Amino acid sequence: MPAKKFKVSLNDLAKELSLSKTLISMVLNGKGDSIKISKETQKRVFEKAKELKYAPNQFARALRLGKSSTIGLIVPDITNPFYSRLALIIESELNKHQYKLLICNTGENPTTELEIIKNLQARAVEGIFLASCQRNPKELIELSTETIPLILLDRVFENCPLHSFSADNRSAGEKVAGHFLKSGFKKIAVIGLKPVYVSSINSRLTGFIEKLKRDGKFSKSQIQLFEIAPEKYEQAIQKILIKIAKEKTIDAIFALNNVAAVAVLKVMKKIPLSSPKNFSLFSFDDLDAFELCHPSISAVEQPIDQMGRAAADRMILCLKNTEFQDKITIEQFPVKIIVRESCP
């Protein structure tokens, strides 16, 4: 059995070279010339570090300096293409300023979310982006006072003293409802995965329903809302579609995000009676694959790139000048409605 390999420490280098840890650290951090360490000694340090494959402990360094050049991004579901794209854009923008992105996933668990925030703060990250699953921002506001900027993404709170960047979800819901009214739909199913109380989902749902009631004079019986638990959601959606297909009580379906929309399409493929040919389908969040479906899927396109760049720019400003942390920025970006064959 091969001997277990141990990570080489600064202590190991010091013993090998018979030099102090402080001197070696200074050399490895490029300060050898400024403190007048001889070129020969510097060369010995670098050669020995390379020979032993020494890698500095970045976590310890961050704690010592109070600076890690790392930003945290906390999302509820990294498998959701919306958050994957958002992470990619933010990471690209931060890299321009020599910051790295550390991505964490909460699984829509509020307790896990708070634990992750505290853990990231303990690891000396310099800022945090957050798509929160909290019901209210009280604890987030308390945590945000811990010296590092906390910026909300996608999911925001009313009257909250935190920077936030999101799509104009309420207006988006109204636009979809307007299209449904124009198409003459009379009975509509709305399908969303829990928690639907988060602002992004709740706002688009509120805008959608209020528009139907106000301009279409819809009654409660004309709008069926299905809140699906994340566990075994495809099976739950299958039961719903089988029921409404048999009863023929629905003209159109509005899926409140792309995860719900994809689940609906999977079920429709299994159950021909519930195919998009029999129900009009509109998704909030567009996917490249929607254009390739038959029929192609109508969707709301969110300004993910614009949102990510704006949030990253604000984070950099906050890090360079703490005054920007107190000048709260709240931005909502307009969405685009893409009408395709599934909901003409």
Side-chain angles (χ1 to χ4, degrees):
M1 177 183 280
K4 186 177 180 180
K5 294 182 179 179
F6 294 94
K7 184 176 180 180
V8 176
S9 68
L10 205 59
N11 273 330
D12 297 324
L13 281 180
K15 289 177 182 178
E16 288 282 336
L17 294 164
S18 298
L19 297 171
S20 73
K21 291 192 296 182
T22 301
L23 184 146
I24 293 173
S25 178
M26 288 290 197
V27 171
L28 293 176
N29 285 308
K31 298 179 181 178
D33 290 339
S34 63
I35 59 173
K36 298 180 180 179
I37 298 174
S38 70
K39 295 292 185 183
E40 183 181 347
T41 298
Q42 291 186 55
K43 183 180 178 182
R44 284 179 58 216
V45 170
F46 283 118
E47 287 180 348
K48 183 57 69 174
K50 183 177 180 180
E51 177 191 334
L52 299 180
K53 297 181 180 179
Y54 169 75
N57 186 328
Q58 296 295 342
F59 178 46
R61 184 174 184 273
L63 289 177
R64 184 173 69 254
L65 300 177
K67 184 178 176 65
S68 63
S69 296
T70 302
I71 309 295
L73 169 62
I74 306 174
V75 297
D77 180 10
I78 194 59
T79 65
N80 185 325
F82 171 84
Y83 291 116
S84 300
R85 177 66 187 177
L86 192 60
L88 183 67
I89 294 301
I90 290 174
E91 183 177 47
S92 176
E93 293 301 307
L94 293 181
N95 282 343
K96 296 175 184 177
H97 300 272
Q98 287 72 55
Y99 282 96
K100 299 301 179 184
L101 189 66
L102 179 61
I103 304 172
C104 302
N105 193 77
T106 67
E108 296 286 13
N109 186 313
T111 301
T112 299
E113 179 182 297
L114 294 175
E115 290 173 351
I116 290 174
I117 293 173
K118 292 173 184 176
N119 185 272
L120 290 177
Q121 289 175 329
R123 290 175 177 271
V125 297
E126 296 185 48
I128 295 175
F129 296 106
L130 171 65
S132 180
C133 57
Q134 303 295 322
R135 281 188 175 273
N136 67 71
K138 181 180 178 181
E139 291 187 80
L140 299 179
I141 294 169
E142 292 174 357
L143 288 170
S144 72
T145 62
E146 303 267 338
T147 71
I148 67 173
L150 177 63
I151 294 179
L152 300 178
L153 291 173
D154 181 43
R155 301 174 174 188
V156 301
F157 301 91
E158 289 186 7
N159 303 315
C160 178
L162 295 174
H163 298 286
S164 65
F165 298 85
S166 66
D168 189 347
N169 287 287
R170 189 184 185 94
S171 174
E174 291 177 350
K175 287 180 179 179
V176 176
H179 181 71
F180 276 28
L181 291 173
K182 184 179 178 182
S183 299
F185 301 131
K186 299 299 181 183
K187 294 183 179 180
I188 298 166
V190 182
I191 299 178
L193 303 185
K194 294 180 179 179
V196 296
Y197 63 77
V198 297
S199 70
S200 55
I201 301 294
N202 185 262
S203 293
R204 64 190 65 154
L205 176 61
T206 299
F208 180 76
I209 291 177
E210 288 188 354
K211 174 78 171 177
L212 292 179
K213 289 182 176 179
R214 182 180 66 248
D215 296 352
K217 308 303 179 185
F218 270 57
S219 64
K220 286 185 178 180
S221 63
Q222 290 178 274
I223 309 169
Q224 295 185 50
L225 172 61
F226 299 96
E227 299 178 45
I228 311 299
E231 305 82 20
K232 299 182 178 179
Y233 61 88
E234 284 187 29
Q235 292 92 322
I237 289 175
Q238 182 168 319
K239 290 180 181 178
I240 292 168
L241 292 191
I242 288 174
K243 183 176 184 294
I244 62 178
K246 285 181 178 178
E247 297 175 356
K248 297 182 179 180
T249 55
I250 295 298
D251 301 321
I253 297 171
F254 179 31
L256 290 174
N257 69 3
N258 60 48
V259 177
V262 169
V264 168
L265 286 171
K266 285 182 179 179
V267 172
M268 285 180 167
K269 188 175 181 180
K270 296 178 185 177
I271 310 170
L273 189 62
S274 67
S275 76
K277 295 177 182 178
N278 298 320
F279 295 115
S280 288
L281 174 63
F282 212 109
S283 168
F284 199 103
D285 285 339
D286 192 26
L287 296 175
D288 291 340
F290 285 170
E291 195 171 0
L292 305 176
C293 293
H294 298 287
S296 55
I297 308 302
S298 297
V300 175
E301 181 181 80
Q302 294 203 67
I304 304 175
D305 292 17
Q306 188 180 1
M307 191 190 313
R309 291 191 185 102
D313 287 346
R314 175 55 50 170
M315 178 66 77
I316 295 301
L317 284 174
C318 289
L319 294 173
K320 289 183 176 180
N321 188 339
T322 55
E323 288 185 9
F324 281 99
Q325 292 190 41
D326 300 323
K327 296 177 181 178
I328 302 303
T329 298
I330 298 174
E331 287 193 47
Q332 291 188 332
F333 301 91
V335 303
K336 181 180 179 182
I337 300 294
I338 301 176
V339 177
R340 299 192 181 104
E341 297 165 340
S342 71
C343 193

